[in-house]
Amino acid sequence: MYEMMPPEPVQMPAPPENKRMSVPQIMLIVLALAFAIWYLVTALAPQKPASAQIQAGVIGTRYTGDCLIVREEIPYPEDTVSSVRYVAEEGSYVTRGDKICNVYSTGYSTKEQKTLQDYRDQIKEYQTDLLKKQVNTDAYMEKLEADVLTRAREVRELIGGARGNMYNQETALAEAIRKRQNRLRELYVKDQRLSRYYDDEQSQLQRISSWTKQCEAKGDGLVSFYSDGYEYGLTMNNYSEFSPAEVRSMINGSKPAETMNIKGKTTVYRLIKDGHWVVLMLIKDNNWNPVEGAEYELKLENFKDTMVRATVLSFTRTGGELEVQLDVQSDVQPVLYIRTCTGVLGDNVMSLTVPPQAIWTQDNMPGVVVLDGDYPFFIPVNVVDKRDGLVYISPIQPDTIYEGQTVKLFW
């Protein structure tokens, strides 16, 4: 008989003993990792430069304020102006005697011009009838007719885009028409009807001329047909007489008192001298004292910024505002139509710059170590300013450092 026997217990293997790292082992691993990181950083990271060059720089202070422009200009007003017909080009340079414009008084009206044109139309129509009835041809007249047609065609070509001078071409056309008219007068000098038409035209021209005044330039300069009224009371002869409060009032829109004296008159044009103008600048600064006769950089901010050099004529401080009178010897064209604007005045000074790491202090004296040849040498400097990651310096002894020299950097 087979007996069932219980199974014998199986012996399970004992779990392996968990061994922990010792403190020296952990420290060794940390040191190894630290060394690896240091090696990677030093091997891959760019090395810091050991030297740098001295660079030229500009350092200065900026002062912002409101500006009032004073030009050397003369306005020309007229009474009872009905209209103005301009001859000179706006902003152009004219000399004494050049024709500027024609001024029509209030007695003149477009009706007078229409009457003149009616007379001329009658002359033209009657001349055409006479030429059609003429039996014998006039060779000189045919030549003059051809000249007029040629000049007229050339004007049309210029209008269509051809190259040339329109003014010269119009002058040539007018001369050709004048010669043709003179020839017609010679051919029909005894025609009573045509003579009467000529008399009517001449009478009307004289009538119009009695209401017309031709304006000619009374000096040399730039001509402008735009005016703001300040030209009468704010001039190159009296700008120094205005207080800062009066300048502020004009900047805010109040015109000088003298402007009221031209009430009822119309400024036809103004003549401006080029190359010289003045700026009255108001700055809210209680600490800055400009140097009279010193030259500063002036930037006028408007639709088109203008940068000029300006010389301080004088300055006045009152009511928390500093008025600086600035003389500008420059082209007047950029400010021909500007009376007020914002300005920035700067007292720029040339300087030398180095990185902050180039400054080394020796015996409580800042300086730089110049690398010139085999032996570096220390040169004391004045630290003028620190900005934008640079140090602005100047040598204590003149000509001891200059742009382009190599200096050592200390990290």
Side-chain angles (χ1 to χ4, degrees):
M1 184 176 181
Y2 180 74
E3 291 184 2
M4 300 291 291
M5 297 296 291
E8 294 183 1
V10 180
Q11 295 288 336
M12 299 296 292
E17 185 177 353
N18 187 14
K19 295 183 179 180
R20 297 182 177 179
M21 289 188 295
S22 62
V23 174
Q25 289 176 321
I26 295 174
M27 293 181 63
L28 184 61
I29 293 174
V30 171
L31 290 175
L33 290 174
F35 176 79
I37 294 172
W38 171 84
Y39 177 79
L40 290 175
V41 170
T42 55
L44 299 179
Q47 293 184 353
K48 295 180 180 179
S51 63
Q53 283 192 330
I54 299 177
Q55 303 289 335
V58 179
I59 187 172
T61 307
R62 296 287 189 270
Y63 304 95
T64 302
D66 297 322
C67 297
L68 182 67
I69 309 298
V70 185
R71 293 175 289 265
E72 190 171 354
E73 56 192 342
I74 302 176
Y76 293 92
E78 293 289 345
D79 295 316
T80 63
V81 175
S82 172
S83 62
V84 180
R85 182 172 297 175
Y86 304 111
V87 177
E89 184 179 351
E90 168 67 28
S92 63
Y93 186 84
V94 297
T95 58
R96 181 183 295 274
D98 288 349
K99 191 173 180 180
I100 301 295
C101 59
N102 293 324
V103 179
Y104 298 90
S105 66
T106 52
Y108 171 81
S109 66
T110 55
K111 179 182 177 181
E112 304 299 335
Q113 191 67 35
K114 184 179 181 302
T115 302
L116 175 63
Q117 188 59 47
D118 289 341
Y119 288 148
R120 288 177 171 174
D121 290 341
Q122 291 174 4
I123 293 174
K124 178 181 178 182
E125 183 178 353
Y126 188 62
Q127 285 176 341
T128 303
D129 291 339
L130 291 175
L131 289 173
K132 288 180 180 179
K133 296 176 181 179
Q134 185 173 346
V135 177
N136 299 324
T137 60
D138 185 88
Y140 184 55
M141 187 64 193
E142 290 181 348
K143 177 182 179 301
L144 295 176
E145 287 282 358
D147 288 344
V148 171
L149 293 176
T150 300
R151 299 306 181 191
R153 184 174 60 254
E154 291 171 348
V155 170
R156 286 197 300 268
E157 290 174 352
L158 288 179
I159 296 174
R163 298 183 63 180
N165 189 302
M166 178 61 77
Y167 176 79
N168 292 341
Q169 206 62 52
E170 288 180 343
T171 302
L173 175 59
E175 180 63 18
I177 293 174
R178 186 189 65 80
K179 289 181 178 179
R180 185 184 63 176
Q181 286 297 319
N182 289 340
R183 182 56 178 172
L184 285 171
R185 287 176 181 270
E186 293 174 359
L187 290 175
Y188 305 105
V189 66
K190 296 181 179 181
D191 191 294
Q192 297 298 319
R193 183 178 176 183
L194 185 59
S195 298
R196 188 172 65 252
Y197 285 154
Y198 285 146
D199 292 340
D200 291 340
E201 179 192 27
Q202 189 62 33
S203 297
Q204 188 63 19
L205 283 172
Q206 293 175 353
R207 182 180 178 86
I208 292 176
S209 64
S210 66
W211 293 314
T212 306
K213 179 181 179 180
Q214 290 188 355
C215 295
E216 297 179 348
K218 298 180 180 180
D220 301 344
L222 300 174
V223 64
S224 176
F225 303 107
Y226 296 92
S227 170
D228 59 9
Y230 284 77
E231 302 92 351
Y232 296 92
L234 181 63
T235 68
M236 296 292 283
N237 296 324
N238 69 355
Y239 68 83
S240 60
E241 301 173 4
F242 293 101
S243 66
E246 290 173 319
V247 173
R248 171 57 65 188
S249 179
M250 285 187 283
I251 290 177
N252 291 339
S254 298
K255 296 180 181 179
E258 287 80 355
T259 304
M260 302 305 296
N261 297 332
I262 64 164
K263 191 173 182 180
K265 296 184 178 181
T266 301
T267 302
V268 178
Y269 71 96
R270 58 190 172 108
L271 205 59
I272 307 100
K273 292 290 185 181
D274 197 13
H276 180 216
W277 39 287
V278 167
V279 179
L280 306 181
M281 187 172 184
L282 293 180
I283 302 172
K284 292 184 178 179
D285 189 287
N286 294 321
N287 300 316
W288 182 48
N289 289 316
V291 179
E292 293 186 4
E295 190 176 66
Y296 296 87
E297 185 179 83
L298 176 62
K299 179 182 180 182
L300 300 179
E301 298 179 336
N302 46 75
F303 65 94
K304 186 178 181 181
D305 291 347
T306 300
M307 186 77 73
V308 293
R309 300 295 297 178
T311 303
V312 176
L313 297 173
S314 65
F315 64 94
T316 306
R317 193 188 308 276
T318 179
E321 279 195 317
L322 173 68
E323 179 194 344
V324 186
Q325 297 179 355
L326 301 164
D327 181 82
V328 180
Q329 301 287 335
S330 181
D331 184 10
V332 76
Q333 190 71 42
V335 295
L336 194 61
Y337 309 105
I338 300 173
R339 182 63 65 182
T340 61
C341 63
T342 301
V344 179
L345 193 65
D347 55 343
N348 291 334
V349 178
M350 294 301 297
S351 179
L352 299 173
T353 65
V354 294
Q357 296 79 11
I359 301 300
W360 177 261
T361 302
Q362 180 174 306
D363 298 331
N364 295 323
M365 176 68 70
V368 294
V369 176
V370 177
L371 301 177
D372 188 4
D374 298 331
Y375 300 100
F377 52 92
F378 176 81
I379 297 179
V381 298
N382 292 316
V383 176
V384 181
D385 197 3
K386 297 179 181 179
R387 64 172 69 172
D388 302 327
L390 293 174
V391 179
Y392 291 79
I393 61 174
S394 63
I396 295 179
Q397 295 294 329
D399 300 327
T400 53
I401 59 173
Y402 49 86
E403 180 184 2
Q405 279 186 309
T406 301
V407 293
K408 185 176 180 180
L409 300 182
F410 300 91
W411 300 92

Short mmCIF file of all heavy atoms in Angstrom, two decimals, residues 116-154:
data_model
loop_
_atom_site.label_atom_id
_atom_site.label_comp_id
_atom_site.label_asym_id
_atom_site.label_seq_id
_atom_site.Cartn_x
_atom_site.Cartn_y
_atom_site.Cartn_z
N LEU A 116 -11.85 142.09 -69.78
CA LEU A 116 -10.63 142.13 -70.58
C LEU A 116 -10.57 140.92 -71.53
O LEU A 116 -10.21 141.07 -72.71
CB LEU A 116 -9.40 142.14 -69.67
CG LEU A 116 -8.04 142.06 -70.35
CD1 LEU A 116 -7.83 143.28 -71.25
CD2 LEU A 116 -6.92 141.94 -69.33
N GLN A 117 -10.94 139.77 -71.03
CA GLN A 117 -10.91 138.57 -71.87
C GLN A 117 -11.93 138.66 -73.00
O GLN A 117 -11.68 138.19 -74.12
CB GLN A 117 -11.18 137.33 -71.01
CG GLN A 117 -10.98 136.00 -71.75
CD GLN A 117 -9.57 135.86 -72.28
OE1 GLN A 117 -8.59 136.11 -71.59
NE2 GLN A 117 -9.45 135.47 -73.55
N ASP A 118 -13.08 139.27 -72.73
CA ASP A 118 -14.10 139.45 -73.78
C ASP A 118 -13.54 140.31 -74.91
O ASP A 118 -13.76 140.02 -76.10
CB ASP A 118 -15.35 140.08 -73.20
CG ASP A 118 -16.12 139.14 -72.30
OD1 ASP A 118 -15.90 137.91 -72.41
OD2 ASP A 118 -16.93 139.62 -71.49
N TYR A 119 -12.85 141.39 -74.57
CA TYR A 119 -12.24 142.25 -75.58
C TYR A 119 -11.22 141.47 -76.41
O TYR A 119 -11.16 141.60 -77.64
CB TYR A 119 -11.57 143.45 -74.93
CG TYR A 119 -12.55 144.48 -74.38
CD1 TYR A 119 -12.24 145.24 -73.25
CD2 TYR A 119 -13.76 144.73 -75.01
CE1 TYR A 119 -13.13 146.19 -72.75
CE2 TYR A 119 -14.66 145.67 -74.53
CZ TYR A 119 -14.34 146.39 -73.39
OH TYR A 119 -15.23 147.32 -72.91
N ARG A 120 -10.43 140.65 -75.74
CA ARG A 120 -9.40 139.89 -76.45
C ARG A 120 -10.02 138.82 -77.34
O ARG A 120 -9.47 138.51 -78.41
CB ARG A 120 -8.44 139.28 -75.44
CG ARG A 120 -7.53 140.32 -74.79
CD ARG A 120 -6.63 139.75 -73.74
NE ARG A 120 -5.64 140.76 -73.32
CZ ARG A 120 -4.78 140.58 -72.31
NH1 ARG A 120 -4.81 139.43 -71.61
NH2 ARG A 120 -3.93 141.52 -72.02
N ASP A 121 -11.12 138.25 -76.91
CA ASP A 121 -11.81 137.27 -77.76
C ASP A 121 -12.35 137.94 -79.02
O ASP A 121 -12.31 137.35 -80.12
CB ASP A 121 -12.96 136.62 -76.98
CG ASP A 121 -12.46 135.68 -75.89
OD1 ASP A 121 -11.29 135.26 -75.97
OD2 ASP A 121 -13.24 135.37 -74.97
N GLN A 122 -12.86 139.17 -78.90
CA GLN A 122 -13.36 139.91 -80.06
C GLN A 122 -12.22 140.20 -81.04
O GLN A 122 -12.38 140.08 -82.26
CB GLN A 122 -14.01 141.22 -79.62
CG GLN A 122 -15.31 141.03 -78.85
CD GLN A 122 -15.85 142.35 -78.32
OE1 GLN A 122 -15.30 143.42 -78.57
NE2 GLN A 122 -16.95 142.27 -77.57
N ILE A 123 -11.06 140.57 -80.50
CA ILE A 123 -9.90 140.83 -81.34
C ILE A 123 -9.49 139.56 -82.08
O ILE A 123 -9.24 139.58 -83.30
CB ILE A 123 -8.72 141.36 -80.49
CG1 ILE A 123 -9.05 142.74 -79.93
CG2 ILE A 123 -7.43 141.41 -81.31
CD1 ILE A 123 -8.02 143.27 -78.96
N LYS A 124 -9.43 138.46 -81.36
CA LYS A 124 -9.03 137.20 -81.97
C LYS A 124 -10.00 136.78 -83.09
O LYS A 124 -9.58 136.38 -84.19
CB LYS A 124 -8.96 136.12 -80.91
CG LYS A 124 -8.58 134.75 -81.44
CD LYS A 124 -8.55 133.71 -80.33
CE LYS A 124 -8.23 132.33 -80.89
NZ LYS A 124 -8.25 131.31 -79.81
N GLU A 125 -11.29 136.89 -82.82
CA GLU A 125 -12.30 136.49 -83.80
C GLU A 125 -12.23 137.36 -85.06
O GLU A 125 -12.29 136.87 -86.20
CB GLU A 125 -13.69 136.58 -83.17
CG GLU A 125 -14.80 136.10 -84.09
CD GLU A 125 -16.16 136.17 -83.41
OE1 GLU A 125 -16.19 136.47 -82.18
OE2 GLU A 125 -17.17 135.93 -84.09
N TYR A 126 -12.06 138.66 -84.88
CA TYR A 126 -12.00 139.57 -86.03
C TYR A 126 -10.71 139.37 -86.82
O TYR A 126 -10.71 139.43 -88.06
CB TYR A 126 -12.12 141.02 -85.56
CG TYR A 126 -12.26 142.00 -86.69
CD1 TYR A 126 -13.36 141.94 -87.56
CD2 TYR A 126 -11.31 142.99 -86.90
CE1 TYR A 126 -13.49 142.84 -88.62
CE2 TYR A 126 -11.42 143.89 -87.95
CZ TYR A 126 -12.52 143.80 -88.81
OH TYR A 126 -12.64 144.69 -89.87
N GLN A 127 -9.59 139.11 -86.12
CA GLN A 127 -8.33 138.85 -86.82
C GLN A 127 -8.45 137.59 -87.67
O GLN A 127 -7.92 137.54 -88.79
CB GLN A 127 -7.19 138.70 -85.81
CG GLN A 127 -6.73 140.02 -85.20
CD GLN A 127 -5.66 139.80 -84.13
OE1 GLN A 127 -5.52 138.70 -83.60
NE2 GLN A 127 -4.93 140.86 -83.83
N THR A 128 -9.12 136.58 -87.15
CA THR A 128 -9.30 135.34 -87.91
C THR A 128 -10.10 135.59 -89.18
O THR A 128 -9.76 135.07 -90.27
CB THR A 128 -10.01 134.29 -87.03
OG1 THR A 128 -9.26 134.06 -85.85
CG2 THR A 128 -10.17 132.98 -87.78
N ASP A 129 -11.15 136.42 -89.09
CA ASP A 129 -11.95 136.74 -90.27
C ASP A 129 -11.12 137.49 -91.30
O ASP A 129 -11.23 137.25 -92.52
CB ASP A 129 -13.17 137.59 -89.87
CG ASP A 129 -14.19 136.79 -89.07
OD1 ASP A 129 -14.15 135.53 -89.16
OD2 ASP A 129 -15.00 137.42 -88.36
N LEU A 130 -10.28 138.41 -90.84
CA LEU A 130 -9.44 139.17 -91.76
C LEU A 130 -8.46 138.27 -92.49
O LEU A 130 -8.22 138.44 -93.70
CB LEU A 130 -8.70 140.27 -91.01
CG LEU A 130 -9.53 141.43 -90.47
CD1 LEU A 130 -8.66 142.38 -89.64
CD2 LEU A 130 -10.19 142.21 -91.63
N LEU A 131 -7.88 137.33 -91.77
CA LEU A 131 -6.90 136.42 -92.40
C LEU A 131 -7.57 135.51 -93.43
O LEU A 131 -6.97 135.18 -94.46
CB LEU A 131 -6.20 135.58 -91.32
CG LEU A 131 -5.23 136.34 -90.42
CD1 LEU A 131 -4.74 135.45 -89.29
CD2 LEU A 131 -4.03 136.86 -91.23
N LYS A 132 -8.81 135.11 -93.16
CA LYS A 132 -9.52 134.26 -94.11
C LYS A 132 -9.83 135.00 -95.40
O LYS A 132 -9.86 134.41 -96.50
CB LYS A 132 -10.82 133.75 -93.48
CG LYS A 132 -10.61 132.70 -92.39
CD LYS A 132 -11.94 132.25 -91.82
CE LYS A 132 -11.74 131.19 -90.74
NZ LYS A 132 -13.04 130.75 -90.16
N LYS A 133 -10.10 136.30 -95.29
CA LYS A 133 -10.46 137.11 -96.46
C LYS A 133 -9.24 137.60 -97.24
O LYS A 133 -9.38 138.16 -98.33
CB LYS A 133 -11.30 138.31 -96.04
CG LYS A 133 -12.65 137.92 -95.44
CD LYS A 133 -13.39 139.15 -94.94
CE LYS A 133 -14.73 138.77 -94.31
NZ LYS A 133 -15.46 139.95 -93.78
N GLN A 134 -8.07 137.41 -96.67
CA GLN A 134 -6.86 137.92 -97.32
C GLN A 134 -6.57 137.10 -98.58
O GLN A 134 -6.55 135.86 -98.55
CB GLN A 134 -5.67 137.85 -96.35
CG GLN A 134 -4.41 138.47 -96.90
CD GLN A 134 -3.31 138.52 -95.85
OE1 GLN A 134 -3.57 138.33 -94.67
NE2 GLN A 134 -2.09 138.77 -96.30
N VAL A 135 -6.32 137.80 -99.68
CA VAL A 135 -6.08 137.14 -100.95
C VAL A 135 -4.60 136.81 -101.12
O VAL A 135 -4.23 135.68 -101.45
CB VAL A 135 -6.56 138.03 -102.12
CG1 VAL A 135 -6.25 137.37 -103.46
CG2 VAL A 135 -8.05 138.32 -101.98
N ASN A 136 -3.76 137.79 -100.88
CA ASN A 136 -2.32 137.60 -101.03
C ASN A 136 -1.73 137.02 -99.74
O ASN A 136 -2.03 137.49 -98.64
CB ASN A 136 -1.64 138.92 -101.37
CG ASN A 136 -2.14 139.50 -102.68
OD1 ASN A 136 -2.44 138.77 -103.62
ND2 ASN A 136 -2.22 140.83 -102.74
N THR A 137 -0.90 136.02 -99.90
CA THR A 137 -0.26 135.40 -98.73
C THR A 137 0.92 136.24 -98.28
O THR A 137 1.60 136.90 -99.09
CB THR A 137 0.24 133.98 -99.06
OG1 THR A 137 1.17 134.05 -100.13
CG2 THR A 137 -0.93 133.08 -99.44
N ASP A 138 1.18 136.22 -96.98
CA ASP A 138 2.31 136.95 -96.38
C ASP A 138 3.29 135.91 -95.82
O ASP A 138 2.98 135.21 -94.85
CB ASP A 138 1.80 137.87 -95.27
CG ASP A 138 2.92 138.74 -94.71
OD1 ASP A 138 3.18 139.82 -95.25
OD2 ASP A 138 3.55 138.29 -93.71
N ALA A 139 4.45 135.80 -96.45
CA ALA A 139 5.43 134.77 -96.06
C ALA A 139 5.90 134.94 -94.62
O ALA A 139 6.04 133.96 -93.87
CB ALA A 139 6.62 134.81 -97.03
N TYR A 140 6.10 136.19 -94.23
CA TYR A 140 6.57 136.43 -92.86
C TYR A 140 5.50 136.05 -91.84
O TYR A 140 5.79 135.48 -90.79
CB TYR A 140 6.97 137.89 -92.69
CG TYR A 140 7.57 138.22 -91.33
CD1 TYR A 140 8.67 137.51 -90.86
CD2 TYR A 140 7.03 139.23 -90.54
CE1 TYR A 140 9.22 137.81 -89.62
CE2 TYR A 140 7.57 139.53 -89.30
CZ TYR A 140 8.66 138.81 -88.84
OH TYR A 140 9.19 139.09 -87.61
N MET A 141 4.23 136.33 -92.20
CA MET A 141 3.14 135.98 -91.30
C MET A 141 3.01 134.46 -91.16
O MET A 141 2.76 133.94 -90.07
CB MET A 141 1.82 136.57 -91.83
CG MET A 141 0.65 136.39 -90.88
SD MET A 141 0.94 137.30 -89.33
CE MET A 141 -0.35 136.57 -88.31
N GLU A 142 3.20 133.75 -92.28
CA GLU A 142 3.13 132.29 -92.22
C GLU A 142 4.25 131.72 -91.33
O GLU A 142 4.05 130.75 -90.61
CB GLU A 142 3.24 131.72 -93.63
CG GLU A 142 2.00 131.99 -94.48
CD GLU A 142 2.13 131.38 -95.86
OE1 GLU A 142 3.26 130.96 -96.22
OE2 GLU A 142 1.12 131.33 -96.57
N LYS A 143 5.43 132.35 -91.42
CA LYS A 143 6.54 131.91 -90.56
C LYS A 143 6.21 132.13 -89.08
O LYS A 143 6.47 131.27 -88.23
CB LYS A 143 7.81 132.66 -90.93
CG LYS A 143 9.02 132.33 -90.05
CD LYS A 143 10.21 133.15 -90.43
CE LYS A 143 11.41 132.82 -89.53
NZ LYS A 143 11.12 133.06 -88.10
N LEU A 144 5.62 133.29 -88.77
CA LEU A 144 5.26 133.58 -87.38
C LEU A 144 4.18 132.61 -86.87
O LEU A 144 4.22 132.16 -85.72
CB LEU A 144 4.77 135.03 -87.26
CG LEU A 144 5.82 136.12 -87.54
CD1 LEU A 144 5.17 137.50 -87.47
CD2 LEU A 144 6.98 136.02 -86.56
N GLU A 145 3.23 132.26 -87.74
CA GLU A 145 2.19 131.29 -87.37
C GLU A 145 2.83 129.93 -87.07
O GLU A 145 2.47 129.26 -86.09
CB GLU A 145 1.18 131.16 -88.51
CG GLU A 145 0.25 132.33 -88.67
CD GLU A 145 -0.88 132.32 -87.65
OE1 GLU A 145 -0.94 131.38 -86.85
OE2 GLU A 145 -1.68 133.27 -87.65
N ALA A 146 3.77 129.55 -87.90
CA ALA A 146 4.46 128.26 -87.70
C ALA A 146 5.25 128.26 -86.39
O ALA A 146 5.29 127.26 -85.67
CB ALA A 146 5.37 127.97 -88.89
N ASP A 147 5.87 129.40 -86.07
CA ASP A 147 6.63 129.50 -84.82
C ASP A 147 5.71 129.32 -83.60
O ASP A 147 6.06 128.64 -82.64
CB ASP A 147 7.35 130.86 -84.75
CG ASP A 147 8.51 130.95 -85.72
OD1 ASP A 147 8.94 129.88 -86.22
OD2 ASP A 147 8.97 132.07 -85.98
N VAL A 148 4.54 129.96 -83.66
CA VAL A 148 3.59 129.84 -82.54
C VAL A 148 3.15 128.39 -82.37
O VAL A 148 3.11 127.86 -81.25
CB VAL A 148 2.36 130.76 -82.77
CG1 VAL A 148 1.29 130.47 -81.72
CG2 VAL A 148 2.78 132.21 -82.70
N LEU A 149 2.81 127.73 -83.47
CA LEU A 149 2.37 126.33 -83.40
C LEU A 149 3.49 125.43 -82.88
O LEU A 149 3.25 124.50 -82.09
CB LEU A 149 1.92 125.86 -84.78
CG LEU A 149 0.65 126.53 -85.33
CD1 LEU A 149 0.37 126.06 -86.75
CD2 LEU A 149 -0.54 126.26 -84.43
N THR A 150 4.72 125.70 -83.29
CA THR A 150 5.86 124.89 -82.83
C THR A 150 6.08 125.05 -81.32
O THR A 150 6.26 124.07 -80.59
CB THR A 150 7.14 125.29 -83.58
OG1 THR A 150 6.95 125.07 -84.97
CG2 THR A 150 8.33 124.47 -83.09
N ARG A 151 6.05 126.30 -80.85
CA ARG A 151 6.24 126.55 -79.41
C ARG A 151 5.10 125.95 -78.59
O ARG A 151 5.32 125.40 -77.50
CB ARG A 151 6.33 128.05 -79.15
CG ARG A 151 7.48 128.75 -79.85
CD ARG A 151 8.82 128.11 -79.56
NE ARG A 151 9.91 128.82 -80.22
CZ ARG A 151 11.15 128.35 -80.30
NH1 ARG A 151 11.43 127.17 -79.78
NH2 ARG A 151 12.09 129.03 -80.91
N ALA A 152 3.89 126.05 -79.11
CA ALA A 152 2.75 125.48 -78.39
C ALA A 152 2.87 123.96 -78.29
O ALA A 152 2.56 123.36 -77.25
CB ALA A 152 1.45 125.87 -79.08
N ARG A 153 3.32 123.32 -79.37
CA ARG A 153 3.50 121.87 -79.36
C ARG A 153 4.59 121.47 -78.35
O ARG A 153 4.45 120.45 -77.64
CB ARG A 153 3.86 121.38 -80.76
CG ARG A 153 3.97 119.85 -80.85
CD ARG A 153 4.18 119.38 -82.27
NE ARG A 153 5.40 119.92 -82.86
CZ ARG A 153 5.43 120.89 -83.77
NH1 ARG A 153 4.30 121.43 -84.21
NH2 ARG A 153 6.57 121.33 -84.27
N GLU A 154 5.66 122.24 -78.27
CA GLU A 154 6.73 121.94 -77.31
C GLU A 154 6.25 122.05 -75.87
O GLU A 154 6.64 121.26 -75.01
CB GLU A 154 7.91 122.89 -77.57
CG GLU A 154 8.62 122.62 -78.88
CD GLU A 154 9.65 123.69 -79.21
OE1 GLU A 154 9.64 124.74 -78.54
OE2 GLU A 154 10.46 123.49 -80.14
#
